[in-house]
Amino acid sequence: MIRIDAVTKTFRRTPVLDRLSLEIGAGDRVALIGANGAGKTTLIRCLLGEYSHGGTIEIDGKAPRKARREVLKRIGFVPQLPPPLKMPVGELIHFAAQVCDSAPERMVDLAGALGLELAEVSGRPFHKLSGGQKQKILVAIALGRDVELLILDEPTANLDPAARRGLFDMLAERAHLPMIVSSHRLDEIAGLVNRVVELDRGRVVLDDRVEEADDTAAVQACRLEIARVDLAFEKAVGEWGFTSDAGRLVWHGRVAGPDRLRFLGMLARYSGLLTVIELGARGAVPDLSDAGRTRRAG
């Protein structure tokens, strides 16, 4: 469904996406992870046709930059930062519904399920709402449409715990749709996704599919290498039962299949420190050095 081939994007001579290549199929529900500055939001903006870039991006054979209106009709998008819209909320809901040929009542109901009664804020300008209110409206607009792809950039930002649970329930009901969910909290979305893609300095350094394990209960051997000794990292992997050699730069342990996404979410916090991850016979083995190679074990 999505083909990304050797995509590059530079801001002020600084590469943000570095010949990034990736394919996402119709059955993929992708957790897009990585540290701040890894290129997640830039990649999403390229997918939406907002940025020009080197290389090729196609969604169902169409380039988002050239056929933006047609591509965007197929996408439900929740941005990381809400746009500074001055339109009253009621008008915004009706405008959004009209543009995508949807019923505004669907969006009103979804906002209510997230804990926001739109009737109470319908006359207020969108940009004067609280962060949580804005996020609930953006989620309701994105999920209240008939789309073929969901792209969500930190969708839980500013949501209270009850609204987060409501959001994940809604996404679970749409698990038949391909989706890309950018998040700093892989543990929150582990039950929703079936693939984890990690970016570092604009490159794919980890691409792990949940289905790759023949037995999800199987325990997988794991080997980690880090660039320097780090006490916080040692404490984190120590809680997973990992041990190290005398130099404390190479760590070994075992991870149960059902815990794999939670474990990768923990490692994502240390993407700037890790140089090698080897996870099981089929696990990705990313090299985060300047060469930036991604290898496969076995």
Side-chain angles (χ1 to χ4, degrees):
M1 181 177 188
I2 299 175
R3 186 175 71 88
I4 303 167
D5 185 21
V7 168
T8 60
K9 180 62 181 176
T10 300
F11 292 107
R12 296 181 180 178
R13 299 184 180 181
T14 300
V16 180
L17 300 179
D18 187 2
R19 295 190 60 79
L20 188 152
S21 295
L22 188 67
E23 291 192 5
I24 298 174
D28 289 340
R29 301 184 302 278
V30 177
L32 186 64
I33 65 173
N36 289 335
K40 303 187 301 298
T41 296
T42 299
L43 176 59
I44 287 174
R45 298 292 180 179
C46 290
L47 287 171
L48 297 172
E50 296 185 13
Y51 291 159
S52 59
H53 56 80
T56 302
I57 294 179
E58 291 182 350
I59 299 179
D60 283 344
K62 299 185 182 298
R65 185 69 175 173
K66 294 180 179 179
R68 192 174 180 207
R69 178 172 295 182
E70 185 174 350
V71 170
L72 290 181
K73 285 182 178 180
R74 306 180 180 189
I75 298 175
F77 172 57
V78 178
Q80 181 180 16
L81 298 174
L85 300 174
K86 297 182 179 181
M87 186 182 298
V89 171
E91 291 183 22
L92 174 61
I93 292 295
H94 281 82
F95 173 77
Q98 185 178 26
V99 166
C100 63
D101 195 23
S102 182
E105 291 78 13
R106 290 174 60 184
M107 299 176 183
V108 172
D109 290 344
L110 288 173
L114 294 172
L116 177 63
E117 295 300 327
L118 286 183
E120 298 177 1
V121 296
S122 62
R124 296 179 58 187
F126 177 82
H127 74 286
K128 291 191 175 181
L129 299 181
S130 69
Q133 290 172 327
K134 292 176 183 176
Q135 194 72 355
K136 291 172 183 178
I137 290 171
L138 293 174
V139 168
I141 290 174
L143 301 188
R145 306 173 56 195
D146 292 322
V147 297
E148 300 172 15
L149 170 67
L150 292 173
I151 299 179
L152 305 100
D153 193 1
E154 298 290 347
T156 60
N158 299 312
L159 292 184
D160 55 84
R164 285 201 299 270
R165 289 193 298 271
L167 169 61
F168 292 128
D169 287 344
M170 294 174 188
L171 293 177
E173 294 172 357
R174 294 160 175 79
H176 61 286
L177 293 173
M179 61 181 74
I180 301 171
V181 186
S182 172
S183 178
H184 284 94
R185 298 191 58 182
L186 184 55
D187 56 328
E188 276 195 333
I189 59 175
L192 176 69
V193 302
N194 57 21
R195 185 176 174 187
V196 178
V197 173
E198 181 177 359
L199 302 186
D200 182 66
R201 291 178 288 182
R203 307 164 181 164
V204 175
V205 295
L206 179 67
D207 187 351
D208 188 69
R209 293 180 180 273
V210 176
E211 299 97 334
E212 286 189 347
D214 296 329
D215 179 1
T216 57
V219 175
Q220 296 180 308
C222 183
R223 176 177 175 273
L224 308 172
E225 292 185 18
I226 55 177
R228 62 185 184 280
V229 173
D230 185 275
L231 295 180
F233 175 82
E234 291 184 6
K235 180 179 179 181
V237 296
E239 292 174 351
W240 286 82
F242 275 58
T243 58
S244 176
D245 58 13
R248 296 157 64 191
L249 296 178
V250 180
W251 292 77
H252 297 272
R254 300 174 71 81
V255 180
D259 292 331
R260 185 165 59 174
L261 290 184
R262 189 163 61 88
F263 177 72
L264 291 173
M266 181 276 293
L267 290 185
R269 302 199 302 267
Y270 302 98
S271 60
L273 178 69
L274 286 156
T275 57
V276 171
I277 305 169
E278 296 177 354
L279 182 58
R282 299 187 182 186
V285 187
D287 179 353
L288 306 188
S289 67
D290 289 338
R293 295 183 300 272
T294 299
R295 309 187 302 272
R296 285 269 172 186

